[in-house]
Amino acid sequence: MSAPTAPRPKQAGPPNNPVPTAPVSADDAAKAKKSIAKLDEVLAMVTKALLTLGGGALIFTCVNVTRFGVSHEIPWYIAWMLDPLASLALITVLYVDGVLAEHGGDYKPGGWPFLLRWTAGLSTWVMNCWTSLYPDGHFHFIPQKPDAGGILLHSVAPALLILLAEAATGYRKYATRRRGELIAIIATFEGAKAAEREAAEKRARQEAEREAAAKREEAEREAAAKRAEAEREADRREREENARLENERRQAEIEAASRTRREEIEAERERLALTARTAEIEANRRKAEAEIEDRRRREQWEQDQAERDREAARQAEIVKAEAQAEALRKEADAQAQALRTEAEAAAEAERIRAEAEARALEEAEKLKRERALERAAAKARGTSESAVARTSISAGRASENGVALSAVPALTASENGGRIPREVREKQRDEAERYIAKCSLSGIAPDLERLGNQYGKGETWVGDRVRAAKKRLADEDGFEESVIADALDVFEDDDSDSAGAA
């Protein structure tokens, strides 16, 4: 029975890399391992250089972009965040594209990474070069007086960052492809070693079988010689010898079968150990994944429970706040109702008091007017005896002042018939309105025609004066008292004139 062959190790590296058909030596495998280590160092160096250049470009461009934001009325403690955001977005998309290209040779970035890369790069470059593109501060589709040196100075860092990232992608792709080839070489060497080891084991097993067969043949030859020499011995010795030889043959076969079985068991044990190690690794991986999944579910449950607790607390706070608000609202409504009731009672009392005061004032004013009119009528009756003298005096005044009225003070217009000054017009309106008010208070109908003739005005002007007099009596404070006082003064003047004439 032949021993089972050991399983061949799986090839390392991407499946796209063909396994070399030429024999691989130990030196080639060692060189491949050194090359893989060197490629790993180069990739680490490229990543460090990309991150260092990205950080330096971020620091270099942050000052100009911050000044650009501050010049556009953005506070400095907010403006400084604009460039790190754009630069970090650019560094992230460049680094992620490179790493994905390193781990997958067929990876090609889509439209969104392309748009993000160019949007972040161009926005950083434009904000950094704005003062050099438009030094006068006025935007033009084509810059009018750009600062070429400033544009070059501020374009170096973003350009180096973008170009290094693109070059790093190419480096990673090549290193990944080359690393796969080297891994295939190492796998070929290890496979060849395993094949040689398997062949050596097979040759050893065959050699052991041949030795066992040779030993059996030698034993048989010795037994035959002994049988030839012992033919003369008795049958008992011959039977014992034959039994001994048969036992030896069986023992040799048993030993050979035992060695073969031990070899098979050893090979099976190695295969089972390899399978057990593989199963243990797989079980550990599954256990780790299960633990991660359990931890994630437990954290999610805890977050959900915390959210539910916060929601319940918030609902309780809302209910409590609503109850407090309702209580406050009811209390405020009660207070407002009480205040409204008090205010209405106070307003009603104030209104009654104001009406009483108004009626009292109205009665007092009415009584005052009646007494004034009575005094004026008494004085008018007292002067009736000198009517003839006053008529002659009035005629004399008429001849001197023009058209005169018995109850209107004299006021003449311009002698040359020109434009009357504003002060004179206002005085004419005031005297005419006072005349109409005196007649109204005395119960005398005013002579409107003679009033218009005296001032040289028409019916419209006279009608306006009548309405104005009534409005002033109704609305203007002190006008009625002034008219009564003027009437009393006129009567006193007439009395003095009568006394002088007498």
Side-chain angles (χ1 to χ4, degrees):
M1 180 181 295
S2 61
T5 60
R8 296 176 60 86
K10 296 183 180 179
Q11 291 183 356
N16 296 333
N17 297 326
V19 179
T21 57
V24 179
S25 62
D27 294 337
D28 295 336
K31 291 179 181 179
K33 292 180 180 179
K34 292 181 180 179
S35 299
I36 290 174
K38 191 66 176 177
L39 287 175
D40 293 339
E41 292 178 0
V42 170
L43 290 177
M45 182 185 68
V46 169
T47 302
K48 292 178 181 179
L50 179 61
L51 295 178
T52 303
L53 182 58
L58 172 63
I59 296 172
F60 179 76
T61 58
C62 184
V63 177
N64 289 333
V65 175
T66 302
R67 293 172 60 189
F68 173 75
V70 172
S71 65
H72 286 75
E73 298 181 357
I74 298 177
W76 67 267
Y77 52 85
I78 297 177
W80 72 269
M81 294 187 294
L82 180 59
D83 183 68
L85 292 176
S87 298
L88 288 177
L90 177 61
I91 294 172
T92 300
V93 70
L94 295 177
Y95 179 75
V96 170
D97 286 344
V99 173
L100 293 179
E102 177 183 351
H103 289 277
D106 56 349
Y107 170 73
K108 294 180 180 179
W112 286 109
F114 175 80
L115 179 61
L116 175 59
R117 181 168 60 249
W118 283 101
T119 301
L122 289 177
S123 61
T124 302
W125 178 79
V126 169
M127 289 188 295
N128 195 34
C129 298
W130 185 267
T131 56
S132 299
L133 289 170
Y134 306 103
D136 56 354
H138 297 289
F139 173 77
H140 303 282
F141 186 75
I142 299 176
Q144 301 297 319
K145 297 178 181 180
D147 182 5
I151 294 174
L152 176 61
L153 176 64
H154 298 307
S155 300
V156 170
L160 287 177
L161 178 60
I162 296 175
L163 293 177
L164 178 59
E166 296 294 339
T169 302
Y171 295 155
R172 287 190 175 94
K173 289 182 179 179
Y174 172 77
T176 303
R177 184 175 64 254
R178 181 58 181 164
R179 197 171 185 275
E181 295 174 357
L182 295 174
I183 291 174
I185 292 173
I186 296 172
T188 302
F189 173 72
E190 292 179 352
K193 287 181 64 177
E196 291 178 358
R197 192 163 50 249
E198 183 180 354
E201 292 175 355
K202 185 176 181 181
R203 286 193 300 271
R205 287 193 299 272
Q206 292 176 354
E207 184 67 22
E209 291 176 356
R210 283 195 299 270
E211 289 178 358
K215 287 180 179 181
R216 286 195 301 271
E217 291 177 357
E218 183 66 23
E220 290 176 355
R221 285 194 298 270
E222 291 178 356
K226 289 179 180 180
R227 283 193 303 271
E229 291 178 357
E231 287 179 354
R232 294 182 298 271
E233 293 180 358
D235 293 340
R236 183 182 59 82
R237 295 280 303 274
E238 187 176 359
R239 287 193 298 271
E240 291 179 356
E241 186 66 22
N242 290 333
R244 187 181 62 80
L245 291 176
E246 183 64 22
N247 291 331
E248 290 180 357
R249 186 182 64 81
R250 290 180 178 178
Q251 186 67 27
E253 290 179 354
I254 291 171
E255 290 178 358
S258 177
R259 283 194 300 272
T260 304
R261 182 60 180 170
R262 283 197 300 271
E263 291 174 357
E264 292 178 354
I265 290 172
E266 186 68 23
E268 184 67 18
R269 185 180 294 111
E270 292 179 358
R271 185 182 65 81
L272 292 175
L274 179 61
T275 304
R277 285 195 299 271
T278 304
E280 182 179 359
I281 293 172
E282 182 66 20
N284 291 334
R285 184 184 63 80
R286 291 179 179 176
K287 181 179 180 182
E289 291 179 353
E291 290 178 354
I292 293 172
E293 182 66 20
D294 292 340
R295 186 166 58 254
R296 185 187 64 80
R297 290 177 178 175
R298 185 168 58 256
E299 291 176 354
Q300 183 65 33
W301 180 85
E302 291 176 356
Q303 292 178 0
D304 294 341
Q305 184 64 29
E307 183 65 25
R308 288 192 294 270
D309 293 342
R310 287 195 296 270
E311 182 65 20
R314 188 176 67 83
Q315 292 295 333
E317 290 293 334
I318 291 174
V319 171
K320 182 178 179 181
E322 289 178 353
Q324 292 178 354
E326 181 65 20
L328 292 175
R329 185 184 64 79
K330 292 180 178 180
E331 184 179 356
D333 290 342
Q335 293 178 357
Q337 183 65 28
L339 291 175
R340 281 196 298 270
T341 303
E342 293 178 359
E344 289 175 356
E348 182 66 19
E350 185 65 24
R351 184 183 63 80
I352 294 172
R353 186 180 63 81
E355 289 178 354
E357 291 179 355
R359 284 195 298 271
L361 290 174
E362 185 178 356
E363 292 293 334
E365 293 295 332
K366 183 177 179 182
L367 181 60
K368 183 179 179 181
R369 286 196 299 271
E370 290 177 356
R371 291 178 179 177
L373 291 176
E374 289 176 358
R375 288 196 301 271
K379 290 181 180 180
R381 287 193 299 270
T383 56
S384 61
E385 296 178 355
S386 58
V388 177
R390 284 200 304 272
T391 302
S392 62
I393 293 172
S394 298
R397 291 178 181 175
S399 63
E400 293 175 359
N401 300 326
V403 179
L405 295 175
S406 60
V408 180
L411 182 65
T412 59
S414 302
E415 295 179 356
N416 55 4
R419 182 176 179 82
I420 301 174
R422 180 179 179 183
E423 295 81 2
V424 176
R425 291 199 304 271
E426 291 179 354
K427 188 174 182 180
Q428 288 177 352
R429 287 195 294 269
D430 183 68
E431 290 182 352
E433 291 170 1
R434 287 179 177 274
Y435 162 69
I436 296 170
K438 291 176 184 178
C439 294
S440 178
L441 293 174
S442 302
I444 302 173
D447 192 348
L448 301 179
E449 182 178 358
R450 293 192 64 186
L451 179 63
N453 292 334
Q454 179 178 352
Y455 294 106
K457 305 294 183 179
E459 294 180 357
T460 303
W461 185 85
V462 174
D464 291 340
R465 301 287 70 78
V466 173
R467 287 189 292 273
K470 293 180 179 180
K471 182 174 178 62
R472 291 180 70 180
L473 285 172
D475 299 336
E476 184 175 342
D477 295 336
F479 180 70
E480 183 177 347
E481 290 79 0
S482 178
V483 170
I484 295 173
D486 291 342
L488 295 177
D489 293 339
V490 170
F491 286 125
E492 291 174 357
D493 291 339
D494 291 340
D495 291 342
S496 62
D497 291 340
S498 298

